Amino acid sequence: MTGLEDNTRCSLFHKFEGLSKDKQEERRIHFGVNSIPVHVSSVIEILLKQVMSPFYIFQMFSCALWLSDKYYYYTVSLLVINFFSIASYIYQTRKMQKALRDTISMSTTVSVCRGGQVYENVSSEDLVPGDVIEIPRRDFMMQCDAVLISGNCIVNESMLTGESVPMTKTPLPRNNEEEIFNIKEHARHVLFCGTKVIQTQQQGHDKVKAIVVRTGFSTTKGGLVRSILYPKPVDFKFQRDSYIFIGLLAVIGATGFTYTMTLMIHRGSTVKEIIIRSLDVVTTAVPAALPLALTIGVVFAQSRLKRRNIYCISPNCINVSGTINVFCFDKTGTLTEDGLKLQGVVPVSASRFLSETESIEELMGGHLYNAMASCHSLTIIEGETTGDPLDLIMFEATACHLTDADQSYSQFSFPVSTMVQLPLSQKADIDMLGIVRQFAFTSNLQRMSVIVCEAHKEKLTLYCKGAPEMVASLSKPESVPPDFHDVLRSYTKHGFRVLALARKDLNKIQADTVQKVARADMERELEFLGLLVMENRLKVETTPVIHQLREADIKTIMVTGDNILTALSVAEECGMVDNTDDVILVQGREPETDSKANLQYTFADSEKVATEILSKKGNLKFALDGKTWAIIRQHFPEVLPKIVLKGVVFARMSPEQKAQLIESLQDLGYYVGMCGDGANDCGALKTAHAGISLSEAEASVASPFTSKTPNIECVPTLIREGRAALVTSFGIFKFMACYSLTEFTSMCILYWASQNMSDFEFLYVDMFLLTTLAVTFGRTSGYDYLVKKPPIINLFSVGPVLSLLTLVSVQICFQVFCFLHVQKQNWYVPLVSRWEYDYISYQNNAVYLMSCYQYIVLAIALSKGEPYRRSIFTNRLFVLNILTCTIVTIWLTMYPGEGAMTFFELKPFPSIPYRLMYVGLAIMDFCICVTLEDYVLSQTLISYKLQEKIEDCLIGSRHTYDLLEEEMLHDDWPSISHQQPVKLSCTQTKLSSSQIMRFDTNMTIQSEIDGQDNVQDYVINSNVRC
């Protein structure tokens, strides 16, 4: 249900005077209570939900059957394990729900306007859309989404965006009567639910007021809570295949059921005995402990990640992270350092660039200096200047001081919100600037502006700061140096971050209209002042990690909000793009009345324009910006998959566009990872198969993984451990399946002779061998390096299927041999039962002992090491477990003793050499299984080549990106334009084609700046123009 965020004119918000109590009650019936309730399930509710799952129903059925068969020991053990497992699950679930409830559920008292100047304190739960609320002076937690209509607010939105830097919210403009309110476009004027208002700033004597537009789950915070409570399910092929495979085991169990029932009916057994024995075979074929065993590798991987400062809130994503073949990276704060260094300032004088200077003091008294001192969103919080790091660096370079405006700003002719104290200087006749109004930075506008007045003067000046190409497009063409593109390119191609500054005199603005005038009317016909050059260095860990990923054939992509040339420079520096790549810049043009939308493809390297032949052999790479991305999505959807397939740099991308890119990669069949600093990457982090946040803010809840170490070294670590966990899951699955089928075989063979294993024989296998081996199996950590081939994720691919069938066949052959061979010995005596469950016989001994060795052999053979896991010898607990199980089984074979014989109901062979033969058979079984698994079935010819041949024959089995890659090798797309992409940067702006052409015409290349021009001349000229 929507509130006031849809189809409401912006001007209407300024006409709200408050709701009466009756009107508020009426709306509360319609919109409901303003709260985000988090349901905490009762113990009974969670218990019933858990035990009613098919897995637990089957387990309870198995336990009931085993109890009726007097198999108490293992049944009780399994029930105890399940009890603690369910109790732990209930505890953790309720603990998480309570923590989430305590974090989210919050109520406070709010002052609500009832009309005029009448205010009433009510509970925040009673708020409805349309209420006019007063924002307190400090430390107020928003309980709804509200539009600010008067005063300024400094807020912390870290819970929603991950950005802990305070932001300034300004009142919603009232200039355009017909403008429709859009909560995304007007986000700088909206106080979102869940954000903290650090402090407010009044404009004159007016209260700081806001209009409630959304409440409850309809708020931004409510949407985030919904995504936490009901996360997007991870569609993972291994999980789907595992369910199918369990179904196949059930079919095998049904076959055993029929086999057993036929035998026992033929022998005249009782109905009870027939039912119990037949169903017992089914419970053996489908391992009841399989789901528990499958989580072992994930649990150990999660603990290993935690030791490396990588925290996981979605363990199911660990296995998925092992399949990642594309990884996307944000640039600033992820690939590059958080902090920027002011490289220098490039002033403009008489429409010409002067030489770069690092001495900001020389600029004092000029408009460029004043722009650096005032055009920012910094605030004073508890006596400390805080805000965007870039703004801080720029402001601190001016040596100015920021102070809050109070009632003693009589030296200003206009009400001001913040004052800037300029340092004493002989070059300037002013000592203080007052910020009258601020137009906040937005990613779609790519700029911010402030309206400033000087102390004791009635003149207003607008200063604008933003992306160079955007600021240049808003400036008078004659004020922009003709070599603007060349100079800008010279900086951005070397990885510098460049901002432009501009100004405009506002001589006709009066005090009563300064807060009402439209932003678009102010930010045009500017005078270009110069460039601010920042250095953003790569983190030392970035380049080695990128090279490591590329060597492992993991596609790396940069998706950033920065300039495309800067992004390309960083991509080249860190190794995402190398010298052999043909990087093509894609530039989109919007449709006009006389032309259609079109795409232009040019070489990023101008030297390749006329000399190089475009390579189609995998070296083609695309770079584009957010505007071109939007044009392609709207007008050229057939080109989008090719762009996504070969794209390496996506610049000027909005948060929504980043998420769109992730989804497009997933549509091609890629498993996509995303690493960002949590500021504008929340959507992409949530959309990706494995998102890693480098931010410790609350927004990290949007990401399955959070790294406490703020660099991308966590990426290969996560992939290595994910691959290890995935291979472990595969190994445990095959081990459990082989165990079930091996035990199933033993039971079918013994049933043929009207025998079975004793309860303690079952207990030794199920508890001592199976449980301990399955637990220690998963403790092997990930391999130290990433290899090119990712692990297999298809349980029904050639490798796993052949492995399972071959290994089980080998075990069947050995058991059948032992069962038949023991009967041919001269000391063999057939079983003569002395009581109902008397199974003490040579046949039982032969089959049982052989199967015990087989479980150990299977655990070793299926415990893969390189190239995805380290050697099993590094898993000391597993090796110790193997040795212990082997020694105990050899002891039971050779010299069990009277106590063991009685306990296990064994009948040892009278011949010592015959006993030794079983040890030899175990060694032979070991050699055959290890040879088949490690040197035959796991070879590339079997695992990959044969699989590829089968996929080629099956329609729809190949990945979309493989088919598209082949298609691109045989077509003539794209058609490269043989023009140098010199003026690429002007395509970043939201200009029409005609504007761009006119803009470029006025920017013909100018000769080199005369050496006599300097910064001092610029300051003098600037003062003269004043």
Side-chain angles (χ1 to χ4, degrees), residues 69 264 269-278 836-837 839:
D69 197 26
M264 301 192 74
S269 301
T270 63
V271 174
K272 178 182 178 182
E273 185 70 12
I274 292 173
I275 294 174
I276 291 177
R277 294 280 76 81
S278 300
E836 183 180 0
Y837 295 108
Y839 301 133

Side-chain angles (χ1 to χ4, degrees), residues 783-797:
Y783 194 54
D784 297 329
Y785 306 99
L786 287 174
V787 296
K788 289 189 175 183
K789 283 289 185 182
I792 296 173
I793 62 173
N794 187 354
L795 200 57
F796 291 100
S797 58

Side-chain angles (χ1 to χ4, degrees), residues 46 228 231 296 339 443 563 615 621 713 747 864:
I46 301 174
I228 297 173
I296 297 298
S443 57
N563 178 281
S615 171
K621 301 290 176 63
E713 283 185 327
M747 294 180 66
K864 299 284 187 181

Side-chain angles (χ1 to χ4, degrees), residues 284 356 374 378 628 761 979 1010:
T284 302
E356 179 186 322
S374 60
L378 301 178
T628 301
E761 286 177 330
Q979 297 178 6
D1010 195 307

Side-chain angles (χ1 to χ4, degrees), residues 26 52 77 136 170 173 270 315 324 337 352 371 467 708 834 839 878 900 935 1009:
E26 180 183 335
M52 291 305 292
S77 301
T170 57
T270 63
I324 297 297
E337 296 286 354
R352 291 185 296 176
K708 302 293 184 180
R834 292 163 292 176
Y839 301 133
F878 181 66
Y935 300 102
I1009 298 174

